[in-house]
């Protein structure tokens, strides 16, 4: 039994693991797809190593800015990324796993939140937002493959 709330999203992407991992590790690419629909991003700091800080400002379509701060806990190229998201509102741990398969790479996102009443109410929203994130990533990967 755990006092954590889990949000799990997974999708198979039809690219190799290195390409999928690079979409996260390359800040130019990451800024193009991170976040749900309607968001744009500015990455201020991206110290991509255990103990490194990640600062990203996500701007909603209405102009509201969200200054996010995270700390990387684990980076295993091209297999796994773990970070702790500290602010602004949702404190959570994100585990991202990249698993090669015959027809592409499976991306698993596991988010762990404290099981507060507020977080439990947001669970469906967060899961849906993650799917939008995956849609944006898939669109970017398709664009990259067409540009080659």
């Amino acid at each position: 039994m755990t006092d954590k709330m889990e949000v799990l999203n997974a999708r198979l992407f039809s690219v190799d693991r290195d390409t999928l991992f690079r979409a996260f590790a390359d800040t130019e690419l990451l800024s193009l797809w991170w976040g749900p629909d309607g968001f744009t991003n500015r990455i201020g700091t991206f110290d991509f190593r255990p103990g490194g800080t990640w600062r990203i400002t996500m701007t909603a379509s209405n102009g509201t800015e969200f200054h996010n701060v995270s700390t990387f806990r684990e980076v295993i190229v091209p297999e796994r990324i773990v970070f702790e998201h500290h602010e602004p509102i949702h404190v959570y741990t994100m585990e991202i796993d990249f698993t090669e398969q015959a027809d592409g790479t499976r991306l698993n996102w596991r988010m762990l939140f404290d099981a507060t009443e507020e977080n439990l109410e947001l669970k469906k929203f967060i899961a849906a937002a993650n799917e939008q994130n995956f849609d944006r990533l898939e669109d970017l990967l398709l664009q990259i493959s067409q540009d080659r």
Side-chain angles (χ1 to χ4, degrees):
M1 190 74 179
T2 180
D3 60 344
K4 297 291 184 186
M5 175 189 83
E6 178 184 74
V7 177
L8 183 62
N9 291 77
R11 185 175 296 182
L12 180 66
F13 291 88
S14 59
V15 296
D16 62 88
R17 183 165 66 169
D18 289 334
T19 299
L20 188 57
F21 192 90
R22 186 172 62 88
F24 188 96
D26 180 330
T27 57
E28 189 175 316
L29 297 175
L30 178 63
S31 67
L32 296 174
W33 66 268
W34 189 258
D37 290 343
F39 278 83
T40 59
N41 301 293
R42 286 187 326 273
I43 297 176
T45 304
F46 194 78
D47 187 4
F48 195 46
R49 63 179 176 81
T53 300
W54 175 23
R55 295 179 190 277
I56 182 171
T57 300
M58 299 174 65
T59 305
S61 56
N62 67 4
T64 302
E65 290 189 342
F66 300 91
H67 303 280
N68 293 265
V69 179
S70 300
T71 302
F72 291 105
R73 293 295 172 218
E74 190 176 352
V75 177
I76 303 171
V77 179
E79 301 170 14
R80 182 171 168 83
I81 302 165
V82 177
F83 64 84
E84 291 178 21
H85 180 267
H86 306 293
E87 52 184 86
I89 36 183
H90 310 300
V91 176
Y92 61 88
T93 299
M94 170 75 91
E95 300 172 354
I96 306 172
D97 290 297
F98 303 79
T99 307
E100 281 185 304
Q101 297 187 340
D103 48 355
T105 305
R106 181 166 214 61
L107 182 62
N108 290 314
W109 283 25
R110 181 175 183 241
M111 301 173 78
L112 297 171
F113 296 81
D114 288 334
T116 65
E117 192 171 316
E118 178 186 13
N119 286 342
L120 291 169
E121 288 181 28
L122 289 173
K123 187 173 183 175
K124 285 184 182 178
F125 164 79
I126 293 166
N130 287 347
E131 289 300 321
Q132 292 174 16
N133 232 352
F134 284 4
D135 291 344
R136 293 179 70 184
L137 174 56
E138 199 158 45
D139 289 346
L140 176 66
L141 293 169
L142 180 61
Q143 181 182 350
I144 289 170
S145 69
Q146 290 175 345
D147 289 346
R148 287 184 178 170

